[in-house]
Amino acid sequence: MGVAGISAMMFTSCSDFLDEKPTGSISEEQIFSDPEYAESNLLSCYRQWRECFKDRYLWEVMVGTDEIQSGALQALKEDGGRRGSLDRYDAMLTSELSYIKDTWDCRYLKVGESAKLINALKSKKDEDELSGKIYGEANFIRAGLCMELTQIFGRIPIIDMERQEELTYARQPLNVVWGFIIDDLKEAVRYCPESNDPQRATVYAANMLLGYAYMAAPEETGLRDFEEAAKCFKAIIDSQKFRLVEYYDLFDYNVKNSAEAIFEWQFNTTWPDNNCIQFQIGSRAAANMGQDGCFFAGYDHAVPSAWAYSDVEDGGIWEDGDIRRDESLRYDFEWFGQVPDLSSLAWEGLGDDHDELLPHIKKYEDFRTDIHSGMGVNNMWNSGKNIPWLRYANVLLLYAECLNETGHTSEAVDYVNEVRKRAWENNIPADKQWNKGMSKDQFFEALMTERVRELFGERWRRFDLVRTGKFLEYVKARNKWANRYGTIQEFNKYWPIPQFEIDQNDDILGTDQNEGYR
């Protein structure tokens, strides 16, 4: 469409036609630098990135942690047992798994498209405001996607149109990858606007990702820098553009783009803008009871670990009075006077492993899809709540982590207590406030759990475990399937490079596969 539009403008007369080069000679750079096309292509990149937060793509990187694991049927029987390898981390976790390929493909297409925009607009970024804005947002997209890819797969190819002959499409060393991500985000901070349309990047969203990149860059890259990360988060805090809202409002479909949302993915209950998440993570027992018309029904692809849904006295994380517990997790499965049971699920043959009526993820439930809502949607597959992916509470917790790492633990406690105060509806008991006398190590351990309480089910846990070096220790101890089978190893923090990518990419050889995989 972009080529056709530009061609139509060029051939406005016979003389123009004779003077112009054939349409085939129009460079890709010319096409991508056209403001109208560039804007359209940028929006397409956002829409495609949003796919990573929909349907199965959301849970594929949520399971296999200490926070969230696969449901019993998926872990033990689906796909001949291959599905459960995402939690067991055994020999079935191979480069040929569709889940591995999906996660790679869902991101790399967008990396390439954003790279074309960056290349085309780089020389124009200071000439006009629109070009600079699109350029900044394209950097934000490319960096965000690459940051997820490298935390899932380790070394990845870099797509930079100016340097492609030099870089090829080979996997790059981690210091090169993370340096590339950080440079992109610096450009995003410089060129993204102060305010923007919903689901588009601002300077604050760019600063938040840049801060996280400084924290997540592996130590061996020499790029991890908690002081620089703190500056990014402090810029967001000092702007006073954002504030904590009532926790009840964060995942309420009536409260969109709240004052806490720095970047929020936009959905509704109509295809293709629904997110289908509930279909994947709801209760199969509830589905058998109410079919698709029960708003908390689904198919158990991602369920909380016992550690993540239990109270402190039972070996879990939840403290008495913390409202986040019941906002984040469903414990009660009664539905308009009906109570589901497991009798209809005997065919699964799971013995004592049934978890369809154990606690489930609640944040993505959408009552508008229920047959009792009166809205006529009547199918939980159409779940479509907005997802506040980057939010202010996370900024406060990340900033607190940086303060602790740089020797300011006492000050860090204040920022965590600000978040915890809301969890007790701004009336936190004295015994629930953190003590300023905590040591650096005590604070870190407590904060890792606090991040689960605050961000449960919001897809941060895998990345937090990888960046802090706690992946093996925590997953092996707390994920039911990893613990039962005992096959998880340190190298499993990264997934294998998809075999499809190896087969079609001449610059990635079979011998270049991640350690421990075939």
Side-chain angles (χ1 to χ4, degrees):
M1 292 177 63
V3 174
I6 294 170
S7 299
M9 291 185 287
M10 289 174 65
F11 301 139
T12 55
S13 70
C14 289
S15 61
D16 288 341
F17 175 84
L18 294 173
D19 291 337
E20 294 291 344
K21 296 178 182 179
T23 57
S25 68
I26 300 176
S27 69
E28 191 172 71
E29 184 174 345
Q30 288 175 298
I31 296 170
F32 275 80
S33 64
D34 174 76
E36 185 175 347
Y37 180 80
E39 177 80 1
S40 175
N41 192 266
L42 182 75
L43 294 177
S44 177
C45 287
Y46 277 121
R47 286 192 296 270
Q48 292 171 19
W49 190 5
R50 188 184 64 164
E51 294 296 308
C52 300
F53 290 79
K54 292 177 63 173
D55 209 1
R56 63 184 286 181
Y57 300 109
L58 186 77
W59 65 252
E60 284 175 341
V61 293
M62 286 169 58
V63 299
T65 69
D66 61 341
E67 175 193 67
I68 293 173
Q69 61 198 26
S70 300
L73 180 66
Q74 289 75 21
L76 299 175
K77 296 196 170 186
E78 187 171 302
D79 194 17
R82 287 181 288 273
R83 165 70 173 79
S85 65
L86 297 179
D87 288 274
R88 296 193 308 268
Y89 295 100
D90 58 12
M92 287 190 176
L93 184 62
T94 71
S95 60
E96 296 182 347
L97 274 183
S98 62
Y99 317 104
I100 304 296
K101 180 179 182 295
D102 288 347
T103 300
W104 180 279
D105 289 349
C106 187
R107 289 161 178 80
Y108 252 111
L109 175 63
K110 299 82 173 173
V111 173
E113 291 299 299
S114 57
K116 292 175 183 178
L117 279 172
I118 292 167
N119 183 60
L121 295 171
K122 197 167 189 176
S123 63
K124 301 178 62 177
K125 63 183 185 297
D126 295 314
E127 293 180 5
D128 64 89
E129 184 177 352
L130 179 58
S131 293
K133 178 174 176 287
I134 296 173
Y135 169 79
E137 291 182 69
N139 275 277
F140 174 83
I141 292 171
R142 183 170 67 175
L145 290 167
C146 285
M147 187 155 60
E148 290 195 350
L149 282 161
T150 191
Q151 289 181 102
I152 298 169
F153 295 101
R155 296 185 300 111
I156 58 172
I158 286 174
I159 302 181
D160 183 339
M161 310 307 292
E162 282 189 341
R163 301 172 57 205
Q164 216 56 57
E165 186 173 342
E166 165 205 344
L167 294 169
T168 71
Y169 292 96
R171 300 176 68 195
Q172 298 297 322
L174 287 176
N175 64 312
V176 175
V177 173
W178 281 98
F180 182 74
I181 290 167
I182 289 170
D183 285 345
D184 263 3
L185 288 170
K186 287 179 178 178
E187 290 291 270
V189 168
R190 181 179 176 187
Y191 287 97
C192 283
E194 287 268 326
S195 60
N196 211 339
D197 296 334
Q199 196 177 275
R200 294 184 63 167
T202 63
V203 62
Y204 306 108
N207 256 317
M208 185 171 177
L209 283 195
L210 178 57
Y212 197 79
Y214 277 124
M215 297 173 72
E219 290 186 23
E220 62 267 27
T221 66
L223 296 169
R224 180 170 292 191
D225 192 327
F226 288 102
E227 290 187 354
E228 287 299 317
K231 292 176 185 177
C232 297
F233 303 130
K234 192 65 161 56
I236 299 171
I237 295 168
D238 288 347
S239 74
Q240 299 186 341
K241 296 278 187 180
F242 307 95
R243 61 177 174 81
L244 299 179
V245 300
E246 294 293 328
Y247 200 81
Y248 304 109
D249 290 343
L250 287 174
F251 280 81
D252 183 343
Y253 52 75
N254 292 310
V255 183
K256 298 180 179 181
N257 306 306
S258 73
E260 185 163 337
I262 298 172
F263 187 99
E264 186 162 317
W265 294 108
Q266 312 290 301
F267 296 101
N268 58 50
T269 57
T270 304
W271 186 88
D273 291 323
N274 56 318
N275 58 42
C276 314
I277 294 172
Q278 190 58 37
F279 176 87
Q280 299 285 346
I281 67 173
S283 167
R284 186 185 302 270
N288 283 353
M289 170 184 66
Q291 302 302 312
D292 293 339
C294 174
F295 73 101
F296 55 79
Y299 295 95
D300 312 293
H301 277 284
V303 298
S305 68
W307 173 77
Y309 69 64
S310 298
D311 294 334
V312 170
E313 56 264 32
D314 298 319
I317 68 174
W318 295 105
E319 303 164 286
D320 182 50
D322 189 335
I323 66 169
R324 297 173 296 188
R325 174 185 183 271
D326 290 324
E327 288 299 301
S328 301
L329 295 131
R330 172 166 293 280
Y331 295 85
D332 179 11
F333 293 87
E334 182 177 347
W335 183 62
F336 293 92
Q338 298 183 61
V339 180
D341 60 53
L342 299 174
S343 59
S344 61
L345 300 174
W347 60 271
E348 293 181 346
L350 295 175
D352 295 332
D353 280 320
H354 276 288
D355 51 18
E356 292 88 349
L357 293 178
L358 291 178
H360 274 58
I361 303 168
K362 184 179 179 181
K363 284 183 174 178
Y364 302 98
E365 293 176 359
D366 191 339
F367 184 68
R368 295 173 296 182
T369 68
D370 195 276
I371 59 174
H372 296 89
S373 72
M375 300 189 70
V377 179
N378 302 343
N379 193 323
M380 45 65 181
W381 181 84
N382 285 294
S383 60
K385 283 183 177 180
N386 281 6
I387 299 177
W389 172 45
L390 305 180
R391 58 185 181 90
Y392 187 60
N394 197 4
V395 169
L396 296 178
L397 294 179
L398 291 170
Y399 183 57
E401 185 177 342
C402 292
L403 290 174
N404 182 58
E405 292 292 333
T406 54
H408 304 283
T409 302
S410 179
E411 185 181 351
V413 166
D414 290 333
Y415 285 94
V416 176
N417 279 335
E418 184 178 346
V419 175
R420 285 175 62 80
K421 181 180 178 182
R422 175 178 65 176
W424 276 266
E425 299 182 276
N426 296 314
N427 189 25
I428 185 171
D431 67 329
K432 297 298 189 293
Q433 296 186 48
W434 284 14
N435 190 315
K436 284 181 174 287
M438 299 172 76
S439 71
K440 177 182 177 181
D441 289 344
Q442 288 173 330
F443 181 93
F444 172 78
E445 290 292 334
L447 184 65
M448 285 294 286
T449 300
E450 186 66 20
R451 288 185 60 75
V452 177
R453 297 187 189 106
E454 179 64 30
L455 304 168
F456 174 80
E458 296 181 35
R459 223 196 56 168
W460 287 99
R461 190 58 174 177
R462 174 179 294 278
F463 305 137
D464 283 346
L465 293 176
V466 170
R467 71 178 175 83
T468 59
K470 292 294 185 179
F471 173 83
L472 178 62
E473 177 187 347
Y474 287 179
V475 176
K476 187 175 184 178
R478 298 165 179 169
N479 181 295
K480 177 178 179 177
W481 313 117
N483 179 269
R484 175 183 295 187
Y485 289 89
T487 49
I488 186 173
Q489 298 182 58
E490 179 62 33
F491 69 77
N492 292 130
K493 68 181 181 181
Y494 294 138
W495 281 357
I497 301 299
Q499 186 61 43
F500 177 83
E501 179 66 20
I502 294 173
D503 290 342
Q504 62 88 40
N505 186 340
D506 292 337
D507 295 320
I508 300 181
L509 305 177
T511 54
D512 198 32
Q513 181 57 270
N514 277 335
E515 174 193 354
Y517 295 105
R518 56 180 177 83

